Structures are given as structure tokens and as C-alpha cells.
Amino acid sequence: MHILLFDDPAIRPHLLPFTFTRPVAALRCGILTLAEKWQRHLAAPTVGYLTQPYLQAKFPVCADGFVTGPALVINGAVCPDEVLVKQVQALKPGQGLYCDELLVAAHLADATHIAELVQDGLTEEIQVAEPVTVISRPWHLFLRNGVEIRRDFALLTKGRTSQPVNDVHTIVYGAENIFIESGVKIRAAILNAEDGPIYLGKNSQVHEGAIIKGPLALCEGSHINAGAKMRGDNTVGPFSKVGGEVGNSILLGYANKGHDGYLGNSVIGEWCNLGADTNTSNLKNNYAPVKIWSHVEKRFVDTGQTFCGLMMGDHSKCGINTMFNTGTVVGVGANIFGAGFPRTFIPSFSWGGAAGFETFKLPKVNEVAERVMARRNLPYDAVEQKIMKVVFEATADDRIWEKVKG
């Protein structure tokens, strides 16, 4: 049976800028992406994505591009747990599983015409046994991260044996809550898993003097640099590098925050780079709830959170000593530099800082992206270029200086 994860049209726009470049289910929360969670829970060889047409080449519905026969169609914004997974597996053809009005999953007897509204093929509605966890806003990612690290840790390590900590100069607390995959290298670090698990992915490295407090997920091929202070509820996505002080934050993957500086209550997209001594504010001086920019509402919206830092879309970068104010949203492909605090909404493909912005032209963005991805031996191919072109055109209205010049 096909497992297909769909972008809920009522949710996806609220998860921009991260969903400009990926389906909702490709977001990482905990150790795994939401799609990877479902794939493992359902023991599926692969999962497919029902997403925006311009993303479908990179995130296909299936290997040959079309689906026939029965399928489980699952809301990509919903995090699975054991109770929910059992209900989804028990669905019969024509049944849909709901959490109040939210469609969580459906069993389709024939998914040939999957492009049609899923609800049209349903004959029976069932309510979930327990409320479900829905990632419907960007800040939900870091708010949920500690819980999801614990769940993913249990899922990934059940029945398996961790590799040992072979470094005599590394101090370990709560060793039973630490799991080390093959190829991991640790040197003179402190691992404290008393308050939550620590997962060190395949071929990852923890360098000298790093202090790590769980929950923490260090994914495959990633590094925690010398002297780093990881304060808990952190995820370092695959092939990333992290240094400085980090608390309750997620790097989705292929990102660098290699130097000193503070990152808190933040989500950083793929292929991002934070220059040395970049700092994020995650708390307002008056302790008021933080407001951040909503791409769908075209205004700042109240998160209801006292702590909220930086939301940075894919392929964005900032220079040394950049200062981000509380609740800053940076779009895709932006380049920020210079003294002072830049505005708290920096549109996609911006070039500049507190002194003002101009447009980071797409050919130049492509040049940088090609160089950066080549460093990880990955091509910036026609599929990637098309995605960036679509996002560049879709975000033109956000770059208000272009209208002034026009």
C-alpha cells in the first residue's frame, strides 16, 4: 500500500518560509522529519508526497510519478504516536480519521485520481482516540522539539545496542540515555543525559570541550565544535556544524553555525550560514509575547510565546557580528550583513542589513548555491534551480523596494 503525506492547504502557508522549499512532512522536529517518523512507524519502504507542483520533482508522489491502487493518505503536519499509528493502520477503505475538523488520515481504495479532494472518496468519518500533535506554525517546531527527540530516540534505539564512549577524557552523566551510532568520534566532552536523551548519529563528531545537555539530536555527519554549549532541546540536522551557545533550536540540515554567538528558540533552514559572533535575541526586554511575520497574513502575528528567536529560510546567510532581534523572520536566499539590528522581517532574496536592502539577483543566488552545495558533493541541478526561481517570483511583492524603484 502506498503511504502518501499531503500538504494541508490550511496549514502549509502558515509554515512559510520553510515550506517554500519543501513539503510540510519534510520538516524536521526531533531527530527525524515528519515523513521519516511515519515511514518508520508504518514500516514502509518509502513514502510519497502530495505537495505543490513545483516541489513535486524533488519530492515525488512515487518513483514513477503516479499512483494506482490503495493508499493511506496522511496529513503531513501531524506527528505520529503509537495510539495514532494503530488507528491509522486500522482504517478501512473509505474511512477518514479526523481530529475535530482536521483530516488526519484516510484510506483510499484506489488512489488513481489522488489529485481530487480526498474527502470526496470518504464514506465514513472517525474521530481520533486522543488529540494529535499538529505542526501548524513555525514556532511549533522548537516548542515540540524536546518531546519529539524523546519519542524518536525510543523509536530509533528500541532493541539496539549503542556504541561505547571510547574517549577516557569524556565525562558522561545518564549513560543509559545516550545512544551512539557507528563512526561517531568524541573528544574530551561533557555529555549530560540526566534530563533527556542524547542521540549521536552516524559519523557525527563532538569536539574538544563541548558541553552537551539532553535532549539533543546530532544527526548523521554533523559536528558540534570545540567549546560549544548545547543547552537542551536541540536538533542539529544532517551534515551541519554548530558552535557557540545553542538552546531549544533546530538546524534542519546542511547548515553552519560554526562559531561563537547565541542561538535560542530558533529554526534554521538548510544551506544557511551564520557568521562568527552572530547573536539572536529570543526574549523581549518587557517580557511581552513575541510577534513574528506571517507570510500568509502579511502582518506580524502574536505567537503567544515569551521566547522566540530566529526563523531563517533555506539558502540564507548572514555576516559576522550580525544581530537579530526577537522574533525575526528571514526568507529564502537572503544575505544579511552590516552593523545594527536589521528589520524583523527580511524578505526572500534580500541583500543588505540595517542600512537598507536591495534585491539579491537570482543569477548571483544560483552562483552561491552551486558553490555551497558542491562543498557537500551535491549538485545544484535544474530541479533545485526551478524551485528557487518559483520562490523568487512568488516573493516579489515582499521586496517593497522593487516597487519604489519601479
Side-chain angles (χ1 to χ4, degrees):
M1 180 183 294
H2 296 285
I3 309 297
L4 307 176
L5 296 148
F6 70 90
D7 286 354
D8 191 320
I11 292 175
R12 177 191 172 268
H14 292 281
L15 289 168
L16 299 172
F18 303 113
T19 48
F20 275 134
T21 48
R22 61 177 57 76
V24 174
L27 290 168
R28 188 175 303 278
C29 184
I31 303 172
L32 304 169
T33 67
L34 276 69
E36 290 167 345
K37 297 175 196 290
W38 280 106
Q39 184 176 355
R40 285 184 172 271
H41 273 289
L42 296 172
T46 60
V47 295
Y49 297 89
L50 298 172
T51 186
Q52 299 297 302
Y54 74 93
L55 295 173
Q56 205 74 75
K58 184 176 180 180
F59 300 94
V61 65
C62 66
D64 54 11
F66 63 93
V67 177
T68 58
L72 277 176
V73 182
I74 300 169
N75 193 320
V78 175
C79 295
D81 58 43
E82 291 185 3
V83 173
L84 178 58
V85 168
K86 288 179 180 178
Q87 278 200 281
V88 170
Q89 290 174 320
L91 288 174
K92 298 177 181 178
Q95 290 182 330
L97 185 64
Y98 286 79
C99 182
D100 295 328
E101 300 298 317
L102 177 75
L103 177 62
V104 174
H107 185 161
L108 303 183
D110 185 359
T112 304
H113 303 292
I114 195 69
E116 298 175 4
L117 288 175
V118 172
Q119 288 91 333
D120 289 350
L122 302 181
T123 58
E124 183 180 1
E125 296 183 7
I126 302 170
Q127 284 292 317
V128 292
E130 298 176 352
V132 299
T133 298
V134 184
I135 305 295
S136 62
R137 298 295 186 272
W139 57 91
H140 291 170
L141 290 166
F142 69 76
L143 285 176
R144 184 71 185 175
N145 202 45
V147 172
E148 289 300 315
I149 290 174
R150 289 179 170 89
R151 283 187 174 179
D152 290 347
F153 185 90
L155 180 66
L156 290 171
T157 65
K158 185 177 181 180
R160 300 176 62 213
T161 301
S162 170
Q163 296 295 312
V165 177
N166 286 324
D167 180 59
V168 296
H169 301 293
T170 291
I171 301 171
V172 174
Y173 302 93
E176 69 278 7
N177 296 324
I178 297 173
F179 195 92
I180 301 171
E181 299 283 5
S182 62
V184 173
K185 185 176 180 180
I186 309 170
R187 291 290 181 268
I190 298 174
L191 308 180
N192 184 349
E194 291 178 333
D195 295 331
I198 293 174
Y199 177 85
L200 304 181
K202 183 179 178 182
N203 297 328
S204 61
Q205 293 190 39
V206 179
H207 293 265
E208 296 83 355
I211 302 171
I212 298 176
K213 183 176 175 61
L216 174 123
L218 182 65
C219 296
E220 180 180 354
S222 289
H223 292 239
I224 295 178
N225 287 351
K229 298 181 284 292
M230 310 298 289
R231 293 174 48 184
D233 293 340
N234 289 310
T235 293
V236 182
F239 305 101
S240 300
K241 295 180 180 178
V242 173
E245 183 181 5
V246 185
N248 193 193
S249 295
I250 300 173
L251 281 73
L252 296 180
Y254 300 95
N256 288 331
K257 183 213 170 300
H259 304 284
D260 285 346
Y262 177 65
L263 182 71
N265 303 95
S266 299
V267 182
I268 306 298
E270 294 185 348
W271 307 110
C272 291
N273 186 75
L274 305 184
D277 286 320
T278 291
N279 285 284
T280 63
S281 169
N282 64 339
L283 174 67
K284 298 178 71 171
N285 284 350
N286 63 0
Y287 290 69
V290 179
K291 293 183 178 182
I292 71 170
W293 181 260
S294 166
H295 281 81
V296 74
E297 297 190 38
K298 300 296 182 183
R299 63 182 180 88
F300 291 91
V301 298
D302 192 349
T303 65
Q305 303 302 312
T306 305
F307 293 92
C308 186
L310 171 66
M311 307 287 136
M312 178 179 275
D314 288 5
H315 288 283
S316 287
K317 297 165 180 63
C318 65
I320 63 170
N321 295 314
T322 302
M323 300 187 298
F324 289 108
N325 224 324
T326 318
T328 295
V329 174
V330 178
V332 173
N335 197 310
I336 305 115
F337 53 86
F341 285 100
R343 58 191 292 189
T344 51
F345 169 51
I346 300 172
S348 297
F349 306 97
S350 296
W351 174 279
F357 288 99
E358 58 185 80
T359 301
F360 195 8
K361 300 294 187 181
L362 193 56
K364 292 294 184 182
V365 173
N366 289 339
E367 285 180 20
V368 175
E370 184 175 9
R371 291 192 198 106
V372 170
M373 292 181 68
R375 288 162 59 91
R376 298 288 193 272
N377 298 314
L378 291 173
Y380 184 62
D381 57 17
V383 172
E384 297 284 351
Q385 291 178 45
K386 180 182 177 182
I387 291 172
M388 293 293 274
K389 184 175 186 293
V390 171
V391 178
F392 184 86
E393 294 170 353
T395 57
D397 286 347
D398 293 333
R399 297 186 290 275
I400 55 176
W401 55 85
E402 293 182 351
K403 301 176 185 178
V404 174
K405 289 182 179 179

